[in-house]
Amino acid sequence: MNNKFNNYRKEDDKVATDRLLDFANKLYEQMENGYEPSLTLPSRSRNNIIHNEDTDVWTYGDRKTKTSAKSKKGALKLLQRSELANFLQNNHLKQNKGSTLRELYYISEGWDIAKFKDQHESDRAIEDFEIICGLQREYFHVRPEEDGATMLGPIRLRETTRRGDHIVHCQEDIGQSGYTIPFNVENLELLESDAKFILAVETGGMYARLIENGFDQKYDAVLVHLKGQPSRSTRVLMKKMNERFDLPIAVFTDADPWSYRIFSTIAYGAIKTAHLSEDLAIPGSKFVGVQPSDIVDYDLSTDKLKEKDIEALRSELIDPRFQSNYWEKQIRLQLEINKKAEQQAFAGKGLDYVTDVYLPDRLTELGVI
Amino acid sequence: MKQNEIAEELAKEQKAISVAEFFEKNRHILGFDSKPRCLNTTIKEGVDNSLDACEDAGILPEISIMVKKSSKYNVIITIEDNGPGITKEQIPKVFAILLYGSKFHHLKQSRGQQGIGISAAVLYSQLSSGASTKIISKTGPGKPAHYFELMINTNTNEPEILKHEEIDWYRPHGTGIEMEMKASYVSGRKQSVYEYLKASAIVNPHARISLTEPSGETVVFERATEILPIPAKEVLPHPHGIEIGTLMKMAKSTCRQKILTFLIDSFAKIGRLAAEEICEKADVNPELDPHIIDRDQTNRLLDAFSKVKLMSAPTYCLSPIGQDLMKEGLKKEFNVDHIATTTRPPQVHSGNTFLIEVGIGYGGDLKNDDTISVMRFANKVPLLYQQGGCLITEAIKSVNWTYYGISHRIGYLPTGPLVILVHVASTNIPFTSESKDAIADIPEIRAEIQRAIKEVAKKVADHKKTLDKIKTKNEKKIIVSKILPRIAKNVSQMVDKEVPNITPVVARVMENLLFERVVELKENGFANISINISNFSHKKQQFSIHDVVPFEILNADPEPLVKDIGLEYDYTWDISVSAGSSKVISYFVETLDEVEIESLPEIIVEGLDESFFNGAIAIHG
């Protein structure tokens, strides 16, 4: 823990404190009335995400999961949450401090049987509080690790830091690797844009290829490097640009089931964080590729699908987010040809092929350019 | 093709082709295709012979196997047993005539039915290494041991004795064989000599088997019992399931002069009446000489067998492992928590008697996330190959394991800390092919295997339930002693209130009875006292409550028994509370002040162990 970012707003802290108290009070009353403590939250599974017609994103449905202290597993979960709530209240909110998700995992070190087994468990506990309290984790002074995701394109923005305000043009003022997206994107103000669209790119190799080939300048594109599954801050920033400057979003990934999930996270929201879909998902995002049909059409070099890939593809066939003719056709085709391809596979046709032929063709087809 | 047909085939073609050619053509079905398999088959033939011989002679088997590398591609295999030995005259025939032996015509369960015979190994040995096979055998103390060096004459299928001498041998009786052949020793996989012997040791816990590997290391599969299995008795063939070739051969070789007496004497369960009926249905003259009946008549007889009502085949021709020995066998080779076994009563499929045995080992060193281990046996011989194509595997897959608390995806083998042994014993095991690696899908056998598995799985599931109950109880103790108090403390600290009394929560979590005393002070100096009893358990609870107080109580509902015990009164209620419901005892007290309320005694419960309730103390009646 440190004092580096102690610019927390008092009124936000008050809201967070009150809601944590509501949670504690609920457990207290359950026990005082002779009942075992329990917590009912929406089920965070594929079966419980529904499409919200108004916002066009996927959020949790009506299915609930009850965690109760009647089982050891449930009791331990509740103990962890009570410890965590206590910690957030007394060590974060009261003392004007904050921790990273990683630090929170280590903080459980002294909790004996309630210690988190891995960071996945502590992350999940924080997500629970986001749902319980209806607040994002920043309200509890919890921040992610810096992930170093970058972007490059004709956008001017103002970044507020403890050392003052900086105005940055994300193409002219920075080097080859791009502008590093900070984790606290709420401190960014978008000023102006000459961009026509955003191209979100999964892998670093392709991101670098596009920059080297001057794709951003030629097409007035904002290139965003997703670094695999994008972090919340990357998604928030893309959503802000999308809304503020009306920039369409095109997503360019590998052709494998995990990459399709990256796309669906951006466009529709993630299953794990569907409670935040309305703040994070960007409806209308377009999937550029690499499509399974591209593997056939462009005769790309490929790898064989692994057992896990096949399982993931099958599971996507019944994932509500992928229920469209387009995805059904693409996924079935991929299962049939039993192959997957990386973005870099286009290099087999020459280094300029992807920027000169493939992307212009696909983006025109999608109506982005 | 059945075994005896191979023999006939071979006999027919003997003049045309040599046995060497026959062997080369049929290597795959004889079990001599890959190099590791050649070794497995050779050792299997040797060990099966030893076990069969010891069983017949009533000897506790001691078998030692040694595999040594002799060159880059060759190994020398030595197998020695303490069996009854083989006579001098028999030795060349047993080891150096392909397909010699009488087992084809015997109808009883024996291991040897399953192999092509040790002579095939001898033949492979000489074809692949050029070496002769060395045999030593002794039939009893005081008798000489006979030492032979043999080869098979591949043109005539007759033994060639290269050397024969009488020598001294340290064993009182037994047989040893040494062969050199192109083969390879593999380890760490399912189809290996080690796994074969381990599996054999499990179903033959009366045997002591030692294996010396090429590395020089010796593994011993110790004997777990001194009890010999009850040997199978020979029986006449049952008419159901007999094939035309066999019937013709039997008719030709009988010493009876009439069909009628031939039928009565040659088959099980055919009496005079049945024989007459068969002849009538077959339209064959019962007086006819069986030696001259033609194919057509034979066929009609065969047909008639199925039309006449006959008693099922006798069952003493089978030699099951037995429930206890199966248990011993599994126990000595696997470290598991629990073993359940069954030996099912014999059944019949197309005239052949068969019997299913199943043993399941659970827990211990076996891993939760692994696919279960399957050990298949046919007449006590382990089946190592073609697990996927075997009826036993299919039967296991088709049982609904989830019902028994084992995770299972339909169409796959279940997952869990399980080893399952399935033994099919029969006078005639229906294999899928001549290599005798997998059992064919016979509906009667499949159904019987499923019944046996379900029976044993049920026992395992019951045991698991008991374990789970203990586990749940222990977990609940942790919940109430270590977890709930901390949750209470944490949230109280946050809301800044006193830590709540969690006794009621504890009772609810433990599914116990809960006793609570509630005192209500009235304005006129009266106090209203009630004792609330809630039963969170799943059954009706009966007990007595004692309230030992220094004052008289009024208007009690229900009425208690009162005992004046000097300075105090002992009020007793006999109470019964059904599962999930509650009862209230209430009474009035005159003039009770706050100090007296503070010092009210604990409620006393009689007739229940204190681990079943909270909020009171126990006395033992």
Side-chain angles (χ1 to χ4, degrees), chain A residues 27-46:
Chain A
L27 295 197
Y28 185 91
E29 276 172 14
Q30 285 170 338
M31 285 188 277
E32 202 180 30
N33 293 331
Y35 287 93
E36 72 281 352
S38 70
L39 195 59
T40 305
L41 293 176
S43 304
R44 290 152 77 183
S45 73
R46 188 178 60 207

Side-chain angles (χ1 to χ4, degrees), chain B residues 55 107-110 113 229-235 313-321 343-348 352-357 379-380 423-429:
Chain B
E55 207 161 289
L107 272 185
K108 68 166 188 173
Q109 175 191 333
S110 73
Q113 266 190 342
I230 300 159
K233 291 195 178 63
E234 265 178 53
V235 291
T315 57
Y316 47 80
C317 50
L318 298 180
S319 166
I321 307 163
T343 298
R344 300 274 306 171
Q347 309 277 328
V348 178
N352 294 296
T353 315
F354 73 96
L355 170 156
I356 303 299
E357 299 187 286
N379 285 348
K380 296 191 186 172
H423 178 215
V424 179
S426 175
T427 46
N428 184 7
I429 303 244

